[in-house]
């Protein structure tokens, strides 16, 4: 007898759960390695061969590994700090269960199916999101990826244990379609399952503000060159410009030196996450924030430099495929998202679709992220239908 959604979900639910709430499942951290072992074990139980692509991505094959016309499904195990448990793992658990469902119906696929576990989708450890799928498709230079450092100074190459293999055209050329199932992340879906139309263009920009470190008690207000002040202005201006543009801007990560209560900071490093429905709007938003920040730094007597750490172009998923899958699923809604996904990176190379599972509160990247077992089971059934169709 095959497992139910609730049974299989319960196997991974405790892995990487943080006492303070949510999950800590960074790429190659202990919990993520346990999840990778779980993945191999699930594949083993189903007689599915597992291959690694030299970039940190795992593939479990139903049918011949690297076979012609392969259909890739799956998602990622890694989380943002204290993120929800569904973002990523839902797509992997659902993929194993969808294959169970097809086997229970004695479906014999005409093409191989691969369940992927992509590495470092969130960029929570090494800073660049969708790192595994970018490497696989040649969207990032392997040397550059290898040199990315986490907050403790460990490089991606060190964590991987090798120089990343980079683009694998032999694999990508054999893939006929990609379908990633994911929890919906923005209160945009009011039925159990939807189909993705697009991903907003988005990116991460690092702002380094430098000023003069000094004594908090003795430095006169008029004499200060306070990097925190310029940073604070940038946070407010990013929010305002995003509202005016109908876009999204967030500054949620910050590092301060010396980070002392009684010392004016000499350095503040803040990261801007900006997203918009189209590229011109995103570019105008970031330009406006940078311009206002530079003006303000001039008034504060501080300096600012801005470095794009990753920029992800607008993704329009294959519209014919989305329409066909939506019809196959009984008229499922087709909707865009502001969240990034490996499927977005892969869509530049292969016909790609995404299925979204309803998220009743819309919360994601936070401990309250949730989907009901009933909706997740509906997601599994939808993925099985789609895989049967695509193979
Ligand atoms: C990934 O989840 C992102 O959109 O940041
Ligand atoms: Mn995410
Ligand atoms: Mn995700």
């Amino acid at each position: 007898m095959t497992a139910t959604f609730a049974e299989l979900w319960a196997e991974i639910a405790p892995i990487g759960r943080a006492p303070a709430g949510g999950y800590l499942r960074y790429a190659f951290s202990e919990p993520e390695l346990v999840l990778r072992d779980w993945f191999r074990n699930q594949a083993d139980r189903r007689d599915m061969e597992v291959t690694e692509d030299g970039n940190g991505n795992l593939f479990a094959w139903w049918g011949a590994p690297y076979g012609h016309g392969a259909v890739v499904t799956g998602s990622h195990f890694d989380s943002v700090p204290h993120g929800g448990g569904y973002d990523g793992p839902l797509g992997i658990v659902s993929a194993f269960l969808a294959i169970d469902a097809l086997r229970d119906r004695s479906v014999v696929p005409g093409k191989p199916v691969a369940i992927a576990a992509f590495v470092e989708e969130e960029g929570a450890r090494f800073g660049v999101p969708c790192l595994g799928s970018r490497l696989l498709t040649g969207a990032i230079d392997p040397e550059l990826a290898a040199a990315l450092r986490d907050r403790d100074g460990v490089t991606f190459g060190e964590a991987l244990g090798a120089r990343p293999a980079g683009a694998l055209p032999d694999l990508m050329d054999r893939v006929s379609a990609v379908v990633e199932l994911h929890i919906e992340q923005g209160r945009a879906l009011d039925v159990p399952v939807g189909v993705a139309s697009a991903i907003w263009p988005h990116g991460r920009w690092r702002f380094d503000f430098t000023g003069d470190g000094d004594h908090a008690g003795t430095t006169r207000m008029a004499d200060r060159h306070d990097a925190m002040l310029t940073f604070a202005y940038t946070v407010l201006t990013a929010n305002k410009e995003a509202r005016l543009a109908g876009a999204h801007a967030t500054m949620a990560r910050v590092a301060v030196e010396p980070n002392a209560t009684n010392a004016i900071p000499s350095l503040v490093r803040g990261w801007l996450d900006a997203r918009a429905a189209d590229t011109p709007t995103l570019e105008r938003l970031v330009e406006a924030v940078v311009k206002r920040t530079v003006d303000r730094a001039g008034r504060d007597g501080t300096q600012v430099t801005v470095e794009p750490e990753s920029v992800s172009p607008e993704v329009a998923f294959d519209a014919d495929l989305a329409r066909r899958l939506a019809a196959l699923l009984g008229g499922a809604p087709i909707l865009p998202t502001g969240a990034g996904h490996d499927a977005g990176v892969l869509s530049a190379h292969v016909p790609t679709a995404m299925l979204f599972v309803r998220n009743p509160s819309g919360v994601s990247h936070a401990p309250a992220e949730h989907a009901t077992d009933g909706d997740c089971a509906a997601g599994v059934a939808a993925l099985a239908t789609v895989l049967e169709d695509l193979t």
Side-chain angles (χ1 to χ4, degrees), residues 337-354:
T337 179
H341 299 286
D342 293 305
V345 175
L346 297 164
S347 74
H349 304 266
V350 192
T352 297
M354 287 193 76

Side-chain angles (χ1 to χ4, degrees), residues 87 121-122 185 202 204 273 275 338-340 365:
D87 178 353
E121 190 273 349
E122 299 288 4
Q185 296 173 281
H202 57 283
R204 301 174 177 193
D273 177 308
R275 312 187 187 214
H365 284 188

Side-chain angles (χ1 to χ4, degrees), residues 6 20 90 108 134 156 258:
L90 182 62
V108 180
R134 283 183 208 263
F156 179 71

Side-chain angles (χ1 to χ4, degrees), residues 151-168:
R151 298 177 203 206
D152 298 321
V154 178
T155 66
F156 179 71
E158 286 163 354
L160 179 66
R163 179 191 179 278
L168 295 178

